[in-house]
Amino acid sequence: MDDRLTDIEEVVAGMETADPGSERSGGRRVFVRTFGCQMNVYDSERMTEALSAQGYAATDTIENADLVILNTCHIREKAAEKVYSDLGRIRVLKEERAAAGSDTVVAVVGCVAQAEGAEIARRAPVVDLVVGPQSYHRLPELIVRSRAEGRALVETEFPEEEKFAHLPKRAPTRAVTAFLTVQEGCDKFCTFCVVPYTRGMEYSRSVADIEREARALVEAGVRELTLLGQNVNGYHGEGPNGRPHSLADLVRHLARMDGLERLRYTTSHPRDMSDDLIAAHADEPKLMPYLHLPFQAGSDRILAAMNRKHTAREYVDLVNRIKAARPDLALSTDVIVGFPGETDAEFEETLAVFSEVGFAAAYSFKYSPRPGTPAEKLSDQVPEEVKTERLARLETLVKRQQLDFSASCVGRTMPVLFERIGRRPGQLIGRSPFLQSVHAEAASELLGRIVPVEISSFGPNSLAGVIRPE
Ligand code: 5AD
Ligand code: SF4
């Protein structure tokens, strides 16, 4: 991702199971808790599908689970700490279930598992399995082995075989939108970032493999796909002609699929925003006019220390070129405040980029030293209270820009893809092309359909509107 995928709030994955009968038939139950980015959400779905093929039904009540999976994120220290505090609570649950005669398997998977390996099982003996993000297709077999051997198992090698080839086909879904991982890993080595160490080197899935998965999702009713990759615009998978396909080629290829109405991709690195991808924004109507493009910092000195390989001016010029291709494009970004050595004046340069570009959304983070990364070793770490103060200033600006963007949507009629039932009777919730939630009075038959909606008002996190005749 560049920069990892957009960080999301932690999500409890209470997913539909492909085999709803197994819960009724007294089968085993799996609870998955997902931390971090969209790729972890995708991985949790694939894990749940693999386990469902083995008779596990998904549950969102942890107390009932025979298998508890924490799908973890290592990007910042806080994300990793949450895992250990969760494990403390899970230990109590596991003891209570054991007293009642039930066994509970506890698995830590994902990036904390990759980064900390056996240390997790040492620090938290409640853990039975530690499994890196490239090995979760082996979960079913590892569960059986750990029970048979009566000990914790750690699987954090980057396996030779490709996990995607060993996962079952996508299970039917009722969702209208879905994530699809097309690329993983990153060789950019930004000096603050753990991703190259936890997710490994860049790897792109083949077009045929992606197309197969996309088709299964579309046949199940999905209308919008978000192609995921840590550095998704560096995609270079094998094309149907045996030659490498760029992300632009992949987008054009998938856009030909009937029933698939919208495509997005995330997260991109400015250096890999090629001319053909920019052109795809101009001439591929299914590609949504919304782009997550992290810039991380506004000072060229800090950008160089981060090993970002672009300057602030190059970033702004790039944005202008993409907007020339797609004038209604809206942008979101990721920014870090308080990278080692960042002065007040350098922080002001980050604010200046915001003022110049104007973002529809942004994710801002205090720099968090990560073990094994070059920036962790820098001596001029910024004091916590300075980071806190800078983050607060930045977040005020981000909020204002987000509200300005929402306000600019009022009075516009935009195509909304309805994806779920709202809280109020007769209301549906959909997504605008710019990824905003839109509420409207709408018949439930419109679920899964794209409908013109005139935006009438906005709140802190959503828009409201009225359906207009097509
Ligand atoms: N400290 C703070 N933020 C970080 N990010 C990545 N590594 C760190 C770190 N060590 C942020 C970047 C990235 C986003 C997903 O997380 O902004 O784009
Ligand atoms: Fe993104 Fe840089 Fe991390 Fe790669 S190393 S995932 S480009 S922040």
Side-chain angles (χ1 to χ4, degrees), residues 377-450:
K377 294 172 196 77
L378 298 174
S379 54
D380 41 358
Q381 299 287 331
V382 172
E384 189 60 26
E385 56 287 4
V386 175
K387 289 189 212 171
T388 304
E389 193 257 335
R390 287 183 191 163
L391 188 70
R393 277 188 65 196
L394 183 58
E395 283 182 344
T396 305
L397 178 57
V398 165
K399 193 82 218 151
R400 201 171 65 227
Q401 293 202 337
Q402 190 211 323
L403 291 176
D404 285 350
F405 181 67
S406 298
S408 76
C409 295
V410 174
R412 285 168 71 179
T413 298
M414 49 177 82
V416 170
L417 171 59
F418 284 116
E419 56 178 7
R420 61 199 157 93
I421 309 259
R423 255 191 236 132
R424 289 214 219 107
Q427 187 191 54
L428 295 185
I429 302 177
R431 273 194 216 191
S432 78
F434 312 107
L435 218 49
Q436 299 142 299
S437 283
V438 182
H439 301 241
E441 301 286 315
S444 56
E445 299 81 73
L446 293 181
L447 277 176
R449 298 254 314 270
I450 297 176

Side-chain angles (χ1 to χ4, degrees), residues 174-348:
R174 270 194 239 134
V176 169
T177 62
F179 295 131
L180 201 173
T181 293
V182 302
Q183 178 277 334
E184 268 193 79
C186 181
D187 323 342
K188 292 277 189 295
F189 288 97
C190 299
T191 56
F192 52 81
C193 184
V194 287
V195 167
Y197 312 96
T198 55
R199 289 276 174 172
M201 294 296 93
E202 270 187 49
Y203 164 79
S204 297
R205 297 174 71 187
S206 72
V207 173
D209 191 16
I210 295 164
E211 188 178 2
R212 214 172 300 124
E213 190 171 328
R215 197 172 296 283
L217 289 166
V218 169
E219 278 167 8
V222 167
R223 296 287 163 259
E224 174 179 308
L225 279 179
T226 302
L227 310 180
L228 298 182
Q230 266 93 23
N231 194 2
V232 73
N233 58 344
Y235 176 85
H236 55 272
E238 186 189 326
N241 54 8
R243 285 212 296 279
H245 265 42
S246 66
L247 183 65
D249 298 331
L250 177 66
V251 162
R252 292 181 204 280
H253 188 90
L254 291 176
R256 292 203 290 267
M257 191 177 289
D258 284 340
L260 178 58
E261 309 285 354
R262 288 177 162 189
L263 280 164
R264 305 175 185 276
Y265 60 90
T266 196
T267 290
S268 297
H269 192 289
R271 285 278 295 215
D272 291 329
M273 212 60 223
S274 61
D275 289 344
D276 68 339
L277 189 53
I278 296 175
H281 277 280
D283 54 35
E284 183 43 72
K286 289 187 182 177
L287 188 55
M288 289 294 97
Y290 187 78
L291 179 64
H292 184 63
L293 195 62
F295 74 96
Q296 310 297 0
S299 142
D300 290 344
R301 192 187 73 84
I302 296 294
L303 285 168
M306 287 176 162
N307 190 32
R308 289 289 295 174
K309 302 191 176 86
H310 61 81
T311 63
R313 180 48 43 202
E314 282 164 351
Y315 179 86
V316 174
D317 289 348
L318 172 64
V319 165
N320 290 336
R321 278 200 293 129
I322 312 168
K323 281 189 171 167
R326 180 80 208 221
D328 61 343
L329 185 95
L331 287 131
S332 62
T333 196
D334 289 343
V335 187
I336 295 176
V337 302
F339 184 83
E342 185 188 65
T343 63
D344 283 338
E346 285 164 340
F347 169 64
E348 296 288 339

